[in-house]
C-alpha cells in the first residue's frame, strides 16, 4: 500500500484539471480533485461556453433584419433576456453534470470545497481535513482583474455578466481584449447602448492590426462607441442608480452598467504556494518547466494559472501531457507554435501564425496576400459589411506563416486552414487546391 492517500491530488476542476484527472486515472492512479465552486471551470461555467451561446443569441438580431430580404416576414419578433439567460444557465448545468459523470466513471473522488497546500505532498481542505498525495497538480485557472481605483466595486466582471436580472439601457465595457470586444458585440445586438473604452491606443494587440482596425471600424458602424486613451480615474453611484465614470481629461461617461474586462490574473492567492516554496512570477503565475513541474519536485501546474497561453484547448493538452508523462510512462511536452485563436466579436476574427507585424520583424522577405470581399449573404441582405482574409508568406520559402480573417464564421473556417499553416504548407499548395464554390472559405485558395 502507498504511504499517501492518493497518487494524484488536483486543485481545480477546470478544463486542465479534469483532463489530467481522467487520464491519470486511466493509467491506474488513485486520483482526487478539489473544486470550491462548480466542476467545469471558467470555460464551461462562466466563460467560453455560455459566452458563445450569448453570441449565438445576439446574432438573431441581424439575422431577423436580414431575413426580410430573403422573403421572410419577421414583424412582431421580440427578444426576452430572461429566456436566453435561463436557457444558457440550464445548458451550463447539463454540462457540469456530464463532467461529474466523467469523474464518477473514472473513479475520481471529488471534494466540493476549497483546498490549499500545507506541504509539498499534503493538502488541507476547508473542512479541516488533511490529505496526502504523492503528486499535486495546481489547476486553479485565472480570475478577472479589477483596477485599484475608487468605485471599482460598482462594476461587474465576466463572472457575473451571465446572471444579470435585466439588460441595462447603457453599458460601459472597459478593456481591449477578446472578452471586452465579444461582450460589446453581444450587448450591442441585444439593444444596449455600448461604450467600449480602453486606457491604451489599440484593441487586441496580439492580433494582426489591419484585421483589428477593420473590426474597430465595423463595430463603430454598428453603433458601438469606442474610445481609446481613456484613463479610468474612478466611478461613483448617482442618486438615480446610474454610474458616473471619471475619465480625467477624456471626460465623464454616465452608464447603467460598468463591466471590467481588462485581463485575467493567475488564481494563486492564498493557496499556500509561497509558504510551501513554489516559485511564482511577478504576475503571480506558477513558474513551471516544459514538463509542467514547479521547482518543488512533487508539485505541478497546468492551464491559466501558469499564464503561458490562456486558452482552454491549451490547458487540456497540458493536463493530458502531464498525466501521460507522470503516470503513463510516456513523456510529453506541448508545442505552443501556431495556435489558432478567435475572437467571437461581431463580426468574428480569427488568426494563426505570425501577424504581418511579427513577420516583418522576423523575416527578410515577406509577401502579403489579401482578399477583401462581401459575403454573398450580405450582398442579398443589402448589408455593406465586408470581410477581409489575409495571408502572410515567407518570400524565401513560399511557406504560409500566418492567416488572419475577419468575417462571418471566421473561427470555423480558420480551424481547417490552421492545419495547413502548422504543417508548413506553401502558398503554391493553397493555389493548387480547387475552390469549394460558392463559399467564403474559397477565398483562401484564390488570393493572388
Amino acid at each position: 500500500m502507498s504511504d499517501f492517500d492518493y497518487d494524484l491530488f488536483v486543485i481545480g476542476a477546470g478544463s486542465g484539471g479534469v483532463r489530467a484527472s481522467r487520464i491519470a486515472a486511466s493509467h491506474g492512479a488513485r486520483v482526487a480533485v478539489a473544486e470550491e465552486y462548480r466542476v467545469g471551470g471558467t470555460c464551461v461555467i462562466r466563460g467560453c461556453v455560455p459566452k458563445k451561446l450569448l453570441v449565438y443569441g445576439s446574432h438573431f438580431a441581424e439575422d431577423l433584419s436580414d431575413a426580410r430580404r430573403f422573403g421572410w416576414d419577421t414583424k412582431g419578433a421580440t427578444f426576452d433576456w430572461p429566456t436566453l439567460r435561463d436557457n444558457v444557465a440550464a445548458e451550463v448545468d447539463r454540462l457540469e453534470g456530464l463532467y461529474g459523470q466523467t469523474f464518477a466513471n473514472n473513479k475520481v473522488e471529488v471534494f466540493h470545497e476549497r483546498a490549499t497546500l500545507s506541504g509539498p505532498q499534503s493538502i488541507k481542505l476547508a473542512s479541516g481535513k488533511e490529505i496526502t498525495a504523492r503528486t499535486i497538480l495546481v489547476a486553479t485557472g485565472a480570475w478577472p482583474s479589477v483596477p485599484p481605483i475608487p468605485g471599482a466595486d460598482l462594476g461587474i466582471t465576466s463572472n457575473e455578466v451571465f446572471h444579470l436580472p435585466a439588460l441595462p439601457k447603457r453599458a460601459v465595457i472597459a478593456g481591449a481584449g477578446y472578452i471586452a470586444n465579444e461582450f460589446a458585440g453581444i450587448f450591442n445586438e441585444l439593444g444596449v447602448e455600448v461604450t467600449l473604452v480602453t486606457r491604451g491606443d489599440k484593441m487586441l494587440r496580439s492580433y494582426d492590426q489591419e484585421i483589428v482596425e477593420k473590426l474597430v471600424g465595423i463595430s463603430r458602424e454598428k453603433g458601438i462607441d469606442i474610445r481609446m486613451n481613456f484613463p479610468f480615474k474612478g466611478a461613483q453611484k448617482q442618486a438615480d442608480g446610474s454610474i458616473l465614470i471619471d475619465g480625467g481629461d477624456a471626460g465623464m461617461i454616465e452608464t447603467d452598467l460598468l463591466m471590467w474586462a481588462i485581463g485575467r490574473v493567475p488564481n494563486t492567492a492564498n493557496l499556500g504556494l509561497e509558504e510551501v516554496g513554489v516559485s511564482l512570477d511577478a504576475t503571480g503565475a506558477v513558474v513551471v518547466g516544459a514538463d509542467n513541474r514547479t521547482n518543488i519536485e512533487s508539485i505541478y501546474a497546468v492551464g491559466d494559472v501558469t499564464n503561458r497561453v490562456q486558452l482552454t484547448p491549451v490547458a487540456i493538452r497540458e493536463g493530458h501531457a502531464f498525466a501521460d508523462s507522470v503516470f503513463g510512462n510516456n513523456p510529453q511536452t506541448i508545442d505552443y507554435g501556431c495556435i489558432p485563436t478567435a475572437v467571437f466579436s461581431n463580426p468574428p476574427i480569427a488568426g494563426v501564425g505570425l501577424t504581418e507585424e511579427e513577420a516583418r520583424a522576423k523575416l527578410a522577405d515577406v509577401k502579403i496576400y489579401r482578399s477583401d470581399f462581401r459575403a454573398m449573404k450580405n450582398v442579398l441582405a443589402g448589408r455593406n459589411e465586408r470581410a477581409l482574409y489575409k495571408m502572410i508568406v515567407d518570400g524565401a520559402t513560399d511557406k504560409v506563416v500566418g492567416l488572419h480573417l475577419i468575417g462571418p464564421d471566421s473561427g470555423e473556417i480558420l480551424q481547417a486552414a490552421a492545419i495547413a499553416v502548422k504543417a508548413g504548407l506553401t502558398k503554391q499548395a493553397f493555389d493548387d487546391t480547387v475552390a469549394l464554390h460558392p463559399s467564403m472559405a474559397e477565398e483562401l485558395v484564390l488570393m493572388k
Side-chain angles (χ1 to χ4, degrees):
M1 293 294 292
S2 171
D3 294 333
F4 299 94
D5 297 323
Y6 299 96
D7 299 312
L8 172 64
F9 194 97
V10 180
I11 303 177
S15 299
V18 169
R19 177 60 64 90
S21 301
R22 180 174 70 79
I23 300 302
S26 73
H27 290 312
R30 294 171 303 131
V31 182
V33 176
E35 173 54 59
E36 65 178 318
Y37 183 50
R38 297 178 65 180
V39 172
T42 295
C43 181
V44 172
I45 304 302
R46 50 178 179 258
C48 38
V49 170
K51 176 198 65 189
K52 187 68 179 292
L53 293 174
L54 292 187
V55 169
Y56 285 138
S58 70
H59 278 183
F60 282 99
E62 289 187 353
D63 290 343
L64 286 168
S65 176
D66 293 348
R68 299 186 188 100
R69 290 276 299 169
F70 288 84
W72 291 91
D73 182 357
T74 58
K75 289 192 297 287
T78 60
F79 172 72
D80 183 63
W81 164 251
T83 298
L84 175 58
R85 178 199 63 201
D86 295 349
N87 286 341
V88 169
E91 175 62 8
V92 169
D93 290 343
R94 185 186 73 85
L95 293 173
E96 182 183 16
L98 293 178
Y99 274 79
Q101 290 178 25
T102 295
F103 282 143
N105 293 342
N106 288 276
K107 296 181 173 57
V108 175
E109 187 168 359
V110 182
F111 295 94
H112 294 281
E113 55 185 308
R114 183 174 177 79
T116 56
L117 296 174
S118 55
Q121 294 175 299
S122 61
I123 305 97
K124 185 175 183 179
L125 300 179
S127 59
K129 183 175 182 178
E130 292 275 356
I131 293 174
T132 60
R134 184 181 302 278
T135 302
I136 297 172
L137 177 67
V138 179
T140 49
W143 199 253
S145 180
V146 175
I149 61 171
D153 59 335
L154 295 174
I156 66 168
T157 70
S158 55
N159 285 354
E160 298 83 33
V161 71
F162 301 102
H163 310 291
L164 293 175
L167 286 178
K169 179 182 177 181
R170 302 164 296 180
V172 169
I173 301 175
Y178 68 94
I179 295 175
N181 281 273
E182 287 169 342
F183 275 101
I186 291 168
F187 279 137
N188 183 63
E189 289 303 310
L190 297 182
V192 179
E193 296 176 16
V194 177
T195 303
L196 179 59
V197 297
T198 177
R199 288 180 179 273
D201 58 358
K202 290 182 179 179
M203 291 283 174
L204 298 162
R205 289 182 178 275
S206 64
Y207 283 82
D208 187 276
Q209 285 303 299
E210 184 178 5
I211 298 291
V212 173
E213 288 170 10
K214 185 93 169 176
L215 174 63
V216 169
I218 294 174
S219 296
R220 283 176 167 150
E221 289 175 4
K222 290 178 182 292
I224 299 174
D225 181 5
I226 298 178
R227 304 190 193 185
M228 310 286 189
N229 301 304
F230 188 91
F232 276 90
K233 301 296 184 181
Q236 62 183 26
K237 198 76 169 260
Q238 301 193 107
D240 63 356
S242 64
I243 301 170
L244 186 64
I245 300 170
D246 181 2
D249 293 339
M252 312 286 277
I253 304 176
E254 191 174 73
T255 187
D256 303 304
L257 176 74
L258 169 60
M259 178 178 172
W260 298 114
I262 58 174
R264 297 176 62 82
V265 294
N267 191 16
T268 55
N270 304 313
L271 283 180
L273 292 163
E274 293 170 292
E275 290 79 0
V276 173
V278 175
S279 294
L280 305 179
D281 69 12
T283 68
V286 180
V287 178
V288 295
D291 59 356
N292 299 298
R293 192 197 298 261
T294 71
N295 59 308
I296 305 297
E297 185 177 5
S298 57
I299 301 176
Y300 294 73
V302 297
D304 292 359
V305 75
T306 67
N307 204 28
R308 288 175 287 185
V309 179
Q310 289 193 7
L311 292 171
T312 293
V314 173
I316 291 172
R317 289 204 170 204
E318 289 173 351
H320 201 130
F322 154 79
D324 277 346
S325 298
V326 177
F327 298 100
N329 195 31
N330 182 21
Q332 300 283 329
T333 57
I334 303 300
D335 178 3
Y336 294 96
C338 282
I339 297 173
T341 60
V343 180
F344 296 104
S345 47
N346 186 15
I349 69 176
V352 65
L354 300 179
T355 65
E356 179 178 351
E357 297 83 1
E358 291 168 339
R360 294 198 184 283
K362 182 178 181 179
L363 304 174
D365 183 10
V366 177
K367 294 181 179 178
I368 308 295
Y369 298 87
R370 296 176 180 86
S371 179
D372 187 326
F373 64 98
R374 194 156 55 127
M376 182 185 294
K377 179 184 174 183
N378 286 349
V379 174
L380 188 57
R383 189 177 294 278
N384 291 323
E385 184 179 306
R386 300 182 68 82
L388 174 63
Y389 289 4
K390 186 174 180 179
M391 179 179 287
I392 317 297
V393 176
D394 182 349
T397 64
D398 197 42
K399 284 186 178 180
V400 178
V401 294
L403 275 177
H404 307 279
L405 323 177
I406 179 170
D409 299 319
S410 288
E412 305 293 342
I413 293 168
L414 184 75
Q415 179 64 85
I419 299 171
V421 179
K422 181 71 172 177
L425 297 189
T426 62
K427 175 67 167 63
Q428 190 62 50
F430 277 78
D431 293 345
D432 290 343
T433 302
V434 176
L436 194 162
H437 181 75
S439 70
M440 291 181 291
E442 69 178 309
E443 297 295 330
L444 291 172
V445 302
L446 298 177
M447 285 187 265
K448 299 298 182 183

